[in-house]
Amino acid sequence: MRIAILTSGGDAPGMNASIRSSVRVAKSLNWTVFGVRRGYRGLIYGELDEMGSRSVSNIIQRGGTILRASRCKEFETEEGLLQAKRTLEAYGIQGLIVIGGDGSFRGAVALSKVWEGQIVGVPGTIDNDLWGTDYTIGFDTAINTAVEAIDKIRDTAEAQERYFLVEVMGREAGFIALEAGLSGGAEEVMVPEIHTDLPEIHKRLMQGKQRGKTSSILIVAEGNQEGNAFEIANKLKTLCGSDYRVVVLGHIQRGGSPTARDRILATKLGAYAVDVLAEGKATVMVGEVKNELITTPLEQTWSMKKPLDPYLLRLNMVLET
Ligand code: F6P
């Protein structure tokens, strides 16, 4: 069998571990493997290189993606899709592994309508917002990075008796905010999925002050309905006169060496993607739910909305007191 692998959209720590696993498992089956450079852009422009087991040596610990990634607007056009199909046909590719998030999977489904080969998705995004897997590759590393930063901010917040607003990634999903907030002991967590009631937050912070709290850390997901961290700081200032220091963690959360958890998940899912291709399945995403490897139709990974864990949300409310 001849297969190709690409990484697309926002890169995530652990993508390399997934590439390594797919390449080595495919080579153990004597398949021919190509790496596509720069995601779908590489499919359009024919940027493919043959990969062997040695080409993925010493990458399990590296963040980013050796194949590079991009957000490719051209791939959203019919001509772009047809050009990608022509490239796949020219290389005789029968199976394509797409490592990415929901945008990448939307592209994969569009490609499946014009190309007859099998496409298997591997969930690679720090956002953890895909239905069909408990965790996505990169999420664990991202929350560990965020928590490390939150711990440092807490030191100075406590020393100076200040309030901090820390903005984490997640344009449409609050998974990073919730889990980084919970593990960083944040006083408040504001996620895009739930209405943010600033007067209520102010009230709770004042109650905390009366109980003897001298500093507080509020976590804001970048996609919060009340705006970004700077806008929320301004609104809180108008509401209660308090000054908030703002820290935007930004793309730091996307980089760095993947945690062991992410490497293991990536290794399992990269291998399973090859198994699924061997079984003849197509247009599915591999995932792990309750410790079991499963497949989910690609379209469901974004059409079904993965909810934030209600238990963690409730717990956060109790613990922040
Ligand atoms: O999807 C991953 C992600 O890091 C989001 O959390 C964030 O909103 C977005 O990508 C940022 O994208 P870009 O790097 O293209 O600005």
Side-chain angles (χ1 to χ4, degrees), residues 9-12 70-71 101-103 124-129 168-173 176 222-223 250-251 253-254:
D11 49 283
S70 65
R71 300 194 192 274
D102 65 325
T125 164
I126 62 164
D127 292 347
N128 197 31
D129 58 346
V168 297
M169 274 190 163
R171 243 189 317 241
E172 277 142 37
I176 298 178
E222 61 178 331
H251 288 78
Q253 295 156 96
R254 283 241 294 260

Side-chain angles (χ1 to χ4, degrees), residues 2 34 43-48 82-94 115:
R2 292 168 72 85
F34 291 90
L43 274 189
I44 294 175
Y45 292 100
E47 297 180 40
L48 281 76
L82 291 174
Q83 188 50 46
K85 165 192 157 86
R86 286 193 280 271
T87 302
L88 288 163
E89 284 171 355
Y91 279 83
I93 305 294
Q94 298 151 293
W115 176 60

